[in-house]
Each structure stands twice: as structure tokens, then as C-alpha cells.
Amino acid sequence: MMDAKSSQKAFLEQLVAHRLLIPSGVPGLFGRGRLFEEVIERFNRLLTDVAADDGAEVVQFPPLVNRKHYEKSGFLKSFPHLAGSVFSFYGDQGEYMELLSCLEKGEDWSRLQHMTEVMLTAAACYPIYPMASGTLPEGGRLFDVYSYCFRHEPSDDPARMQVFRMREFVHLGTPETSVAFRNRWLERGSDLLKALAVPISADVASDPFFGRGGKMLASNQREQRLKFELRTPITSTEEPTAVMSFNYHQDHFGSLFDIRRASGEIAHTACFGAGMERVALSLFKTHGFVPAAWPASVRTKLCL
Ligand code: AMP
Ligand code: ZN
């Protein structure tokens, strides 16, 4: 039996050999080959089909967010180790000369960089909450978002990238409609992965909150059953990888961004997120590196 490290390495080597992923020299940062992209595109279309009658509003955001909104969202407080901020050069001619000298000598030039107004988004749904500030219509709102996301978690596991895509549906409404939305997607997500013959297990989950207090937050999140994940073995059977997440945030974002229900109460929110690269990797892991040789039922479902 291969240990997790060797199995990650072997899987990555195969993905690269089949031109599915293109290494950059930095762990977790890859280019994507045509077939890898095609699988993601086809799966993305399946999600659109599943949600076709929901009437979600499609919005598209770049993978950067307003730093003020990011700070307010609580992400830095909970996950400082994953956050990515954008810095740039604000210097004069003197500092420019210093920068050139650092580059020439191969020295650290980070002191010549200062914070900008933007951060790299950590989840596709983050720009939604500040945008939805105000009063929701009767019945709440539903959004459909798709974005590259950044998390600083360099790893040799091809399923743990620093830059990856998330397709999300986000509901804003009451506690009841949020939980119902979350549960509906849990069922839809399972059905979809089962139809693609990807072995899955569903479980209560928690987010990787930082530090001593973080353990408490994570166990509260589990106890309250706020987060569920669908997992599949990609590079380990003992520790399967989460391919989809189903989150009920209670009034966290509603109160931070003053999102109110038509009744005036603070809104509750929930999101469903599919990790697109992980879905593709689970398909390559389960069915092999050549989509043309995948089972007919899977190819038909994906229209491949
Ligand atoms: P989360 O907000 O952590 O629940 O992430 C939402 C989804 O994004 C997860 O279910 C994964 O499928 C995917 N995801 C999270 N982190 C990574 C990562 N480092 N690399 C690739 N996909 C990820
Ligand atoms: Zn989300």
C-alpha cells in the first residue's frame, strides 16, 4: 500500500504526463490542459442544468475583492493562514533604484511593497454578501457565482491547490429557507456524483479555523451541523477529499453586512460550493486519465 505522500506524487506525475495539469514550479499552482478544462466545463454545465428552474441570478466577479469587505467578512480573523493580499510598489525613484538593486542581488524586496485595496478572494460567494446589503425581497434571493479562488495552502497533493475554481449557489433568506436550500443541494450534489459513478461519502465537517480558539469554533460548527461535505478518495482512502461543501452560515454574513429580510429581521444565508478541479480530479481518479475510455454512462451524462 502506498502512503498518502507517495500516492499524491504518483497521481500528480500521471496528471502531468497526460497533459491534464501543467506544473508551474510552485506547489498548488498549475496550468490546465484542454481535456482537464473540458471535463470542468461539462460538469459546470450539469450544475447549470440541475439548477435551471431555480431562477438564480447569475453574477460574475473577478477573483479579487475589496479589502474592506474581506476584513469585515471575518475571513482574516478566522483563517489568517489562508488569506492572500495584493501588495504593490508605491515608491519614488530612490525606492525604485533600491528595488532594482534587490532584484540584481537576489535579495528580499518585500519591504518595498505596500498593501493595496484588494485581496484575493477565498471563496466564490464572498462578494455576494456586501452586494446584497439592504432588504431582501419576499422569499429571499438566490445567486449563481463562479470564480477562481486563492488559499495559501501550498501542498504536494494535486487536490489541494492554491488557486482553484468554485461554482457556488448562494441563498439569502430565513433560517428555514437556508437549511432547506442547503439540504436540497446536498441531495442534488450526491445524485450528480453518483450518476458520474464517483464513490462518495457525506459527512458533517468544519472549517480550518486558526489557533487555539479555532478548535472550539470548529467543534461548535460540527455540533451545530452547519457544514457538510461530500468526499471521495482521490489520493487517500482513509482521508477522502471534499469535492462539494454545503454551508449554513446562520446570521453571520447577514449581520456583518446588514442584510435584512422583508420582515426587517437579519437574514440567514447558506451556500453550496463545488470544487471544480477536485470534481475533475475525482473523475480522472475513478475512471482513468483518458476521458474517451470512461464508461459510456459517465460520458453520456457529461455529454463528452
Ligand atoms: P470550502 O469553502 O473550504 O468548503 O471549499 C469549498 C470547496 O472548494 C470544497 O468542497 C472543495 O471542493 C474546494 N476546495 C477547497 N479548498 C481547495 C483547495 N485547496 N484546492 C482545491 N479545491 C479546494
Ligand atoms: Zn460559499
Side-chain angles (χ1 to χ4, degrees), residues 123-126 129 166 168-170 247 249 253 270-273:
C125 65
Y126 270 74
Y129 312 108
M166 239 186 249
E168 288 202 58
F169 289 89
V170 189
N247 303 299
H249 317 118
F253 292 112
C271 70
F272 152 72

Side-chain angles (χ1 to χ4, degrees), residues 210-243:
F210 186 79
R212 261 174 280 153
K215 286 208 170 39
M216 262 290 268
L217 292 172
S219 72
N220 284 347
Q221 193 185 21
R222 273 174 191 279
E223 254 163 49
Q224 297 186 66
R225 302 171 72 78
L226 299 180
K227 185 180 187 83
F228 285 84
E229 285 176 348
L230 285 180
R231 304 184 185 136
T232 186
I234 298 183
T235 52
S236 157
T237 29
E238 294 79 38
E239 285 185 48
T241 303
V243 287

Side-chain angles (χ1 to χ4, degrees), residues 151 153 159-161 164 166 207 227 242-245 247 273-275 278:
R151 292 184 186 179
E153 44 183 351
R160 185 167 296 282
M161 297 184 174
F164 55 93
M166 239 186 249
D207 289 311
K227 185 180 187 83
V243 287
M244 291 179 182
S245 304
N247 303 299
R278 285 188 178 176

Side-chain angles (χ1 to χ4, degrees), residues 10-273:
F11 188 45
L12 179 56
E13 278 169 7
Q14 291 274 38
L15 291 162
V16 172
H18 286 87
R19 201 93 188 131
L20 295 167
L21 291 184
I22 304 153
S24 71
V26 172
L29 176 65
F30 299 99
R32 280 88 169 140
R34 184 181 66 80
L35 282 174
F36 192 85
E37 278 306 286
E38 201 166 313
V39 168
I40 286 190
E41 233 169 73
R42 299 304 166 106
F43 181 75
N44 208 16
R45 237 182 268 172
L46 273 186
L47 287 176
T48 304
D49 293 346
V50 168
D53 296 331
D54 296 354
E57 182 182 344
V58 178
V59 275
Q60 178 69 46
F61 295 96
L64 297 178
V65 288
N66 181 331
R67 177 162 54 81
K68 293 271 175 267
H69 293 162
Y70 196 102
E71 289 164 358
K72 201 169 174 180
S73 73
F75 193 88
L76 267 177
K77 206 161 120 191
S78 297
F79 316 104
H81 55 305
L82 298 177
S85 18
V86 178
F87 279 56
S88 191
F89 179 77
Y90 290 84
D92 55 13
Q93 184 66 21
E95 283 178 302
Y96 172 60
M97 297 312 285
E98 251 183 88
L99 175 66
L100 290 186
S101 152
C102 287
L103 289 173
E104 185 132 323
K105 294 181 197 149
E107 285 174 0
D108 180 2
W109 46 275
S110 56
R111 67 191 150 80
L112 294 160
Q113 292 272 300
H114 297 281
M115 208 147 55
T116 68
E117 288 179 315
V118 291
M119 303 277 294
L120 304 181
T121 199
C125 65
Y126 270 74
I128 295 287
Y129 312 108
M131 181 192 75
S133 183
T135 305
L136 299 172
E138 205 62 62
R141 285 178 91 174
L142 178 65
F143 292 100
D144 172 349
V145 272
Y146 186 39
S147 173
Y148 263 106
C149 301
F150 171 87
R151 292 184 186 179
H152 186 239
E153 44 183 351
S155 162
D156 293 326
D157 181 355
R160 185 167 296 282
M161 297 184 174
Q162 297 201 60
V163 191
F164 55 93
R165 274 162 290 182
M166 239 186 249
R167 172 85 182 267
E168 288 202 58
F169 289 89
V170 189
H171 171 80
L172 304 90
T174 70
E176 294 74 30
T177 56
S178 299
V179 170
F181 164 89
R182 200 262 317 264
N183 295 345
R184 183 162 63 249
W185 270 107
L186 191 50
E187 207 174 301
R188 285 173 165 180
S190 312
D191 288 348
L192 207 47
L193 293 171
K194 278 183 200 153
L196 296 172
V198 170
I200 47 160
S201 54
D203 215 345
V204 177
S206 60
D207 289 311
F209 295 99
F210 186 79
R212 261 174 280 153
K215 286 208 170 39
M216 262 290 268
L217 292 172
S219 72
N220 284 347
Q221 193 185 21
R222 273 174 191 279
E223 254 163 49
Q224 297 186 66
R225 302 171 72 78
L226 299 180
K227 185 180 187 83
F228 285 84
E229 285 176 348
L230 285 180
R231 304 184 185 136
T232 186
I234 298 183
T235 52
S236 157
T237 29
E238 294 79 38
E239 285 185 48
T241 303
V243 287
M244 291 179 182
S245 304
F246 310 83
N247 303 299
Y248 171 36
H249 317 118
Q250 298 174 306
D251 64 354
H252 176 76
F253 292 112
S255 45
L256 286 174
F257 294 102
D258 197 28
I259 310 167
R260 292 180 179 271
R261 289 156 53 186
S263 63
E265 287 164 278
I266 294 291
H268 281 226
T269 63
C271 70
F272 152 72

